[in-house]
Amino acid sequence: MTACYASKTDGLIAAGFSDGVVKVWDSAAALLQVASLGLHQGPVTSLALAPTKSLLVTAGQDLDVKVVSLLSPQISVAREHHGPIVAVMFAFDEQTPISFGADGAVIV
């Protein structure tokens, strides 16, 4: 496991792995796996779940930031970083991803 996130509001737990796979479990349903997604070419470096329980944002060593809907197969990709991505999160609107690069870049 290379990244993990536990939501305080809805009981979802997400983990990213060195093979680029992200898995999401629902702790309220006895850790039922709700998603297993091959999202990145290489390790997942950061991830976060939106409090609304429907969006996941991930970053990988491949320099991609991906926003995934857990309710449908939609995946959005942003390739704006030019170096390692160290963290991702959602803005206060719970829909807009924010990513932070090792070079100090913050991309909304």
Side-chain angles (χ1 to χ4, degrees):
M1 184 183 324
T2 55
C4 63
Y5 185 91
S7 173
K8 296 177 186 176
T9 57
D10 57 26
L12 291 181
I13 299 168
F17 297 89
S18 59
D19 61 359
V21 171
V22 174
K23 295 183 180 184
V24 181
W25 296 271
D26 187 344
S27 65
L31 292 179
L32 174 69
Q33 185 171 307
V34 295
S36 180
L37 308 160
L39 294 177
H40 293 281
Q41 299 296 316
V44 176
T45 58
S46 182
L47 48 80
L49 290 158
T52 58
K53 202 176 186 178
S54 63
L55 292 176
L56 168 73
V57 62
T58 68
Q61 202 170 52
D62 56 7
L63 306 184
D64 286 350
V65 173
K66 297 188 178 183
V67 179
V68 180
S69 170
L70 296 177
L71 303 176
S72 69
Q74 293 181 330
I75 299 174
S76 300
V77 181
R79 293 186 175 99
E80 299 181 34
H81 282 279
H82 301 289
I85 304 163
V86 296
V88 292
M89 64 180 287
F90 282 98
F92 292 118
D93 68 1
E94 300 179 358
Q95 295 181 4
T96 305
I98 303 172
S99 57
F100 303 85
D103 61 359
V106 178
I107 299 175
V108 179

